[in-house]
């Protein structure tokens, strides 16, 4: 995959950080809000900022991290390497697969007094770092991880999200699936995201009259053979299956679902991550006909999305994914927020003042818990002109 040509912003790879944070250049650290005159958010202050990008560059979610970095860098590329009129120093740290790597990665960025952090794929990591960001007063914009509590019971002024909540994506699909399916078998990766997604789906599917025939939770990050679970689905008598799998796990599950012979007999529904981006092309023909809910597909027919897809294709020679859009929109949010200053409290006030983000998914604003107020789509995998695509079937109503 091709990266855009280097712009004025600097990407710093984890580990090579000595002397990189730009406090010496007049940029404020983000802790405590005790800025000096030069960086207290005055309108003419254009001091540089350092942004930490915490995304997986290893493990089953590495392809998602690459998309997020590409989305974030595209916005910088389109804006002279600046956010809020300030030059940006970008420090990329590997989130890895689980909180065991993600939490220490976040702690390093906080210690380096970056002005804000963007990223985080894994819900467990998001839940594990939430308190540290609040205590250090460093703004975090989660550009994927969907842990429900992050914008619900455990919302914080210092934690924002441009992605989704796991329960909401899945709940949007339940009533629609119940129109065609009486009983469902639930299958999801065994960690916070999978558990929340199946709970969200089950709630609205059963409210709409459906029943649950069974459920399985294969271990996250280590399962490669889904056959024992597929046998249970077959024996359950369910007439549809709902899943949450993403990244490399999504490819393995979708391919084995088809080769086990279930593709044409039990309709497969999922949160859209199962069929997103490189994962979809890797799954190939096995994915055709799968129906998913998500807040984005590159097939959305709007001038804003067409312009974005073209720019992304020009930069990277591939179609954008939901992960790229979520990170692109995190850059848009920081672009507005840094107008208000660079200290943690100033950035938070700047985030609170945002009216709308002009996203390729459609304009959205932030809700009370600091998550996006957005539309979810029913998507179906079909053969497109160039490879497989997620066509928009209809908009889904959320509850
Ligand atoms: C999550 O852990 O919340 C998660 C991970 C990967 C996805 C979606 C959600 O694609």
């Amino acid at each position: 995959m091709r990266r855009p040509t280097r712009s004025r912003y600097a990407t710093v790879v984890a580990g090579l950080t000595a002397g990189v944070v730009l406090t010496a250049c007049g940029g404020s650290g983000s802790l405590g809000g005790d800025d000096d005159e030069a960086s207290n958010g005055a309108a003419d202050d254009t001091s540089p900022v350092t942004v930490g990008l915490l995304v997986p560059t290893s493990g089953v979610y590495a392809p998602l991290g690459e998309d997020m970095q590409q989305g974030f860098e595209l916005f910088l590329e389109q804006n002279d390497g600046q956010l809020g009129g300030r030059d940006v120093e970008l420090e990329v740290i590997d989130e890895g697969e689980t909180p065991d790597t993600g939490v220490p990665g976040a702690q390093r960025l906080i210690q380096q007094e970056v002005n804000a952090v963007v990223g985080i794929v894994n819900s467990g990591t998001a839940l594990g770092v939430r308190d540290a960001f609040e205590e250090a007063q460093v703004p975090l914009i989660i550009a994927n991880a969907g842990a429900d509590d992050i914008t619900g019971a455990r919302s914080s002024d210092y934690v924002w999200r441009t992605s989704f909540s796991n329960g909401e994506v899945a709940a949007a699909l339940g009533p629609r699936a119940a129109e065609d399916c009486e009983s469902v078998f639930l299958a999801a990766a065994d960690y916070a995201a999978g558990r929340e997604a199946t709970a969200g789906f089950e709630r609205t599917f059963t409210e709409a009259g459906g029943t649950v025939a069974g459920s399985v939770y294969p271990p996250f990050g280590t399962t490669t053979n889904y056959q024992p679970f597929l046998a249970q689905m077959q024996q359950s008598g369910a007439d549809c299956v709902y899943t949450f799998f993403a990244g490399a796990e999504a490819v393995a599950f979708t391919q084995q679902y088809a080769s086990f012979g279930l593709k044409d007999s039990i309709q497969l529904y999922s949160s859209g991550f199962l069929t997103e981006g490189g994962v979809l092309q890797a799954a190939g023909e096995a994915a055709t006909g799968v129906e998913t809910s998500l807040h984005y597909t590159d097939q959305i027919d709007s001038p804003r999305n067409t312009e974005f897809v073209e720019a992304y294709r020009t930069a990277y020679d591939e179609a954008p994914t939901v992960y790229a859009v979520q990170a692109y929109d995190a850059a848009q949010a920081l672009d507005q927020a840094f107008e208000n200053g660079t200290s943690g409290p100033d950035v938070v006030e700047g985030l609170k003042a945002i009216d709308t983000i002009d996203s390729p998914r459609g304009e959205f604003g932030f809700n009370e818990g600091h998550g996006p107020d957005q539309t979810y789509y029913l998507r179906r995998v079909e053969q497109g002109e160039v490879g497989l695509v997620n066509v928009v079937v209809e908009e889904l109503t959320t509850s």
Side-chain angles (χ1 to χ4, degrees), residues 1 3 53-72 94-97 120-122 143-144 220 245-252 273-283 312 316 318-327:
M1 261 166 257
R3 293 243 178 260
L53 197 60
L54 182 63
V55 293
T57 59
S58 64
V60 290
Y61 287 158
L64 286 53
E66 180 168 18
D67 291 356
M68 289 161 80
Q69 186 168 350
Q70 290 184 171
F72 195 87
D94 182 13
E95 177 191 340
E97 195 168 272
I120 306 191
V121 166
N122 184 304
N144 186 67
F220 170 66
F245 295 107
E249 297 197 325
V251 181
F273 316 108
L274 189 78
T275 62
E276 192 59 11
V279 158
L280 176 58
Q281 305 314 325
Y312 194 91
Y316 304 112
E318 63 184 8
T321 61
V322 72
Y323 309 107
V325 169
Q326 291 165 172

Side-chain angles (χ1 to χ4, degrees), residues 20-245:
V20 161
V21 179
L22 296 176
T23 45
C25 309
S28 72
S30 50
L31 304 182
D34 54 350
D35 297 346
D36 60 22
E37 280 290 310
S39 57
N40 67 357
D44 59 353
D45 169 27
T46 53
S47 54
V49 284
T50 305
V51 176
L53 197 60
L54 182 63
V55 293
T57 59
S58 64
V60 290
Y61 287 158
L64 286 53
E66 180 168 18
D67 291 356
M68 289 161 80
Q69 186 168 350
Q70 290 184 171
F72 195 87
E73 290 185 345
L74 179 63
F75 185 83
L76 289 177
E77 207 49 39
Q78 292 174 333
N79 291 276
D80 298 325
Q82 293 192 331
L83 293 174
R86 303 162 189 280
D87 286 343
V88 174
E89 188 96 28
L90 197 60
E91 168 130 3
V92 183
I93 287 199
D94 182 13
E95 177 191 340
E97 195 168 272
T98 69
D100 291 345
T101 45
V103 172
Q107 279 160 349
R108 280 176 62 191
L109 288 168
I110 290 171
Q111 275 159 15
Q112 287 166 22
E113 302 192 1
V114 296
N115 298 95
V117 172
V118 167
I120 306 191
V121 166
N122 184 304
S123 275
T125 301
L127 291 165
V129 302
R130 179 250 179 238
D131 290 352
F133 279 94
E134 185 173 73
E135 278 157 27
Q137 297 195 318
V138 176
L140 165 67
I141 304 191
I142 295 176
N144 186 67
D148 292 345
D149 278 358
I150 286 290
T151 49
R154 296 185 63 204
S155 69
S156 161
D157 269 3
Y158 281 87
V159 182
W160 294 68
R161 183 152 66 188
T162 51
S163 50
F164 56 87
S165 72
N166 291 314
E168 203 174 271
V169 177
L173 187 56
R176 179 61 183 75
E179 289 175 20
D180 296 327
C181 163
E182 282 177 15
S183 73
V184 69
F185 195 96
L186 307 169
D190 191 11
Y191 79 105
R195 295 278 172 176
E196 291 178 350
T198 51
F201 182 90
E202 179 172 354
R203 177 175 63 78
T204 58
F205 181 76
T206 53
E207 278 168 11
T211 57
V212 175
S215 58
V216 287
Y217 293 92
F220 170 66
T222 53
T223 305
T224 51
N225 177 14
Y226 290 92
Q227 302 233 357
F229 307 109
L230 295 164
Q232 287 184 56
M233 291 173 207
Q234 192 173 44
Q235 284 153 19
S236 72
D239 43 34
C240 67
V241 165
Y242 166 80
T243 69
F244 173 96
F245 295 107

